[in-house]
Amino acid sequence: MENNIRKTLHTLGIYNLRETIEDASLKLQGKPYYWTDYPMAVQLDTTNRCGPSNSGIFCSYCFPQGEVLGGRDCHADMPMEWIEWIFKDIAKNMPHLTNKEWPPLQQTCLFLNGDWQNEMRSEEILNKYDSLLSWLPSQVFTCATKPSEAWRFINPKLKWVCVTCSAPDRETYKKVHGGDKFNNVIETMRNIDNNSINQHLEVHYVVTKDNFDGMKKWFNFMGNKFPRWRRVLSPLVKSQCNQRSVDSMGSLTVEQQEQAIHDVDAKAHFWNHQTTALRQPCVLHNNAAVTCHGEVLQCCNWDRKDKWNYGYIQDYIDEGRSLKDYWMERLANKQRNSLCRACNLKRYDAKNLLSNIEVTAKVKR
Ligand code: SF4
Ligand code: SF4
């Protein structure tokens, strides 16, 4: 096990298991990048249910629920056999990095386009997860608008709970999240806060033009109300295919967002996509993302997933493939993904980093 840990950390350019993320990120900046042979984080949409009919909100920057409301996608739950196959594939192929001093370099995120508060099989999924992957941190995101569902998050098998509340007050919340649910979110967070044991709790703020001036107020408000919770400010991922995100960002640039985040929280781990995230070409480069319909995508930033995908989970199962094959195909693909080419979350030197990779992959289509 010791050899395995050292080898895998070496692939990330990390040589000392005792160093902190701050030490490491300083050392990592500007150095060459090395590659793992399996995605470090796997995101799967056990359900994509959210939006006005399920959560009572429609966030100003939300792309997936807009696709559902526009009739180009539909709500669905991922079949349990796919969920189990993905958990088994991770258990078999993902190298174990279990250093507790690090934020999870590796994890499974049971979230992509929906919300865990609307996942009616939450207990069954977590029991299955725990039986196969108890060593790997599990994470969910939620808008937490339903206090009656708070119990779904209070489960030690769920290691990371991330609530998104991108507003310091009710009026800003209505503008950013498209619903009058600010008080509900605070009630859900209070319930989780009072009952959760041994879970990592985070509250997230996605920066848009409508809440840009409210960051400091939010940071202080959440710090006073929920001192246990880590506060995370994130720039909005603006994607050309997502007109809603373009409108939500207005004339703000990602650099302006990142600088403002740093001004509010000088200790923020993630505030500048040019220098952090372990020297990946982009902050989501080590991910695999699987939708509830089974499309395997390059990350959570997608468009035309029927066209731009790395195959379907059912085909992986039928053909005896693994997400390892997805990963090799993605590395071999380099810059030939049109979404990646237009993405504002790439590092300035992404092209050079990617051009250094020499991988060939067999593509079954
Ligand atoms: S909580 Fe997430 S999925 Fe739900 S409407 Fe907001 S951005 Fe979309
Ligand atoms: S470049 Fe953008 S679209 Fe491509 S994997 Fe990274 S974050 Fe996702």
Side-chain angles (χ1 to χ4, degrees):
M1 176 58 90
E2 179 65 13
N3 282 343
N4 194 18
I5 288 171
R6 292 202 61 77
K7 182 163 168 254
T8 314
L9 283 169
H10 278 197
T11 64
L12 289 167
I14 298 161
Y15 301 102
N16 179 356
L17 291 175
R18 301 225 155 263
E19 66 193 348
T20 64
I21 188 84
E22 286 87 0
D23 294 338
S25 68
L26 280 176
K27 280 190 206 166
L28 292 170
Q29 287 169 24
K31 304 249 180 77
Y33 188 81
Y34 304 91
W35 302 98
T36 53
D37 61 1
Y38 192 82
M40 298 289 278
V42 177
Q43 243 182 314
L44 63 145
D45 225 354
T46 67
T47 182
N48 67 348
R49 295 179 198 280
C50 195
S53 57
N54 289 286
S55 299
I57 61 167
F58 183 27
C59 304
S60 64
Y61 46 81
C62 183
F63 178 67
Q65 298 305 320
E67 290 296 281
V68 173
L69 288 168
R72 292 174 294 277
D73 201 351
C74 61
H75 283 143
D77 303 310
M78 184 182 278
M80 272 311 288
E81 58 266 31
W82 290 0
I83 295 174
E84 188 170 349
W85 182 89
I86 293 169
F87 291 170
K88 283 183 175 163
D89 193 66
I90 299 170
K92 188 171 164 203
N93 295 300
M94 190 186 272
H96 291 219
L97 296 181
T98 51
N99 183 8
K100 291 196 175 65
E101 292 175 44
W102 283 76
L105 292 169
Q106 300 176 291
Q107 61 183 210
T108 306
C109 188
L110 304 165
F111 155 88
L112 183 60
N113 299 312
D115 196 304
W116 191 250
Q117 68 179 355
N118 304 316
E119 177 50 85
M120 297 301 119
R121 306 162 299 172
S122 57
E123 282 180 299
E124 183 187 357
I125 292 171
L126 286 179
N127 286 341
K128 181 60 68 188
Y129 189 88
D130 196 51
S131 71
L132 292 162
L133 285 168
S134 59
W135 59 273
L136 184 67
S138 51
Q139 182 192 45
V140 293
F141 276 78
T142 178
C143 56
T145 54
K146 292 157 92 171
S148 61
E149 302 296 327
W151 66 272
R152 293 193 191 278
F153 303 96
I154 304 163
N155 186 332
K157 291 170 188 159
L158 196 52
K159 294 288 184 255
W160 286 51
V161 177
C162 305
V163 169
T164 302
C165 178
S166 307
D169 52 50
R170 211 173 139 193
E171 287 314 309
T172 315
Y173 189 95
K174 281 195 260 181
K175 272 195 222 160
V176 178
H177 291 292
D180 189 3
K181 299 286 181 187
F182 182 73
N183 292 337
N184 292 40
V185 177
I186 300 303
E187 188 183 337
T188 309
M189 286 177 68
R190 174 65 57 217
N191 192 340
I192 296 172
D193 196 50
N194 287 341
N195 296 292
S196 148
I197 298 168
N198 285 337
Q199 286 176 287
H200 178 94
L201 306 176
E202 285 189 352
V203 56
H204 285 237
Y205 191 99
V206 179
V207 182
T208 72
K209 68 177 175 11
D210 292 319
N211 63 14
F212 189 73
D213 294 331
M215 274 188 257
K216 184 83 186 161
K217 185 177 168 192
W218 174 88
F219 198 73
N220 293 336
F221 172 82
M222 288 299 174
N224 288 334
K225 281 229 176 268
F226 301 103
R228 265 175 89 189
W229 294 56
R230 181 169 167 229
R231 294 158 288 174
V232 181
L233 293 144
S234 309
L236 180 62
V237 181
K238 184 166 87 172
S239 169
Q240 298 312 316
C241 61
N242 179 357
Q243 189 55 42
R244 292 175 61 77
S245 73
V246 173
D247 294 344
S248 291
M249 209 149 144
S251 58
L252 278 177
T253 63
V254 77
E255 287 76 17
Q256 283 170 323
Q257 291 177 310
E258 289 175 341
Q259 188 55 53
I261 288 169
H262 191 54
D263 292 345
V264 170
D265 180 10
K267 291 186 178 160
H269 282 150
F270 170 66
W271 71 275
N272 184 339
H273 72 285
Q274 301 289 15
T275 54
T276 56
L278 302 168
R279 297 169 298 153
Q280 302 179 84
C282 69
V283 293
L284 296 172
H285 194 265
N286 270 1
N287 289 41
V290 189
T291 72
C292 61
H293 304 296
E295 296 106 342
V296 183
L297 308 174
Q298 80 285 338
C299 75
C300 53
N301 181 25
W302 55 265
D303 182 30
R304 292 293 315 272
K305 53 192 166 64
D306 55 330
K307 184 173 171 205
W308 297 106
N309 66 54
Y310 288 84
Y312 290 82
I313 276 295
Q314 189 60 55
D315 294 336
Y316 280 67
I317 296 170
D318 293 345
E319 294 163 2
R321 303 176 78 208
S322 154
L323 289 177
K324 201 167 183 158
D325 297 300
Y326 148 82
W327 183 238
M328 290 302 139
E329 190 180 337
R330 176 143 171 235
L331 291 182
N333 210 16
K334 297 190 179 182
Q335 302 100 311
R336 284 190 289 276
N337 180 319
S338 70
L339 288 171
C340 293
R341 279 208 298 267
C343 180
N344 67 348
L345 277 186
K346 279 198 317 258
R347 277 176 58 119
Y348 61 91
D349 55 355
K351 198 170 172 185
N352 284 347
L353 291 172
L354 289 163
S355 63
N356 287 334
I357 306 167
E358 287 182 22
V359 169
T360 49
K362 272 192 200 157
V363 181
K364 281 195 181 179
R365 289 281 166 82

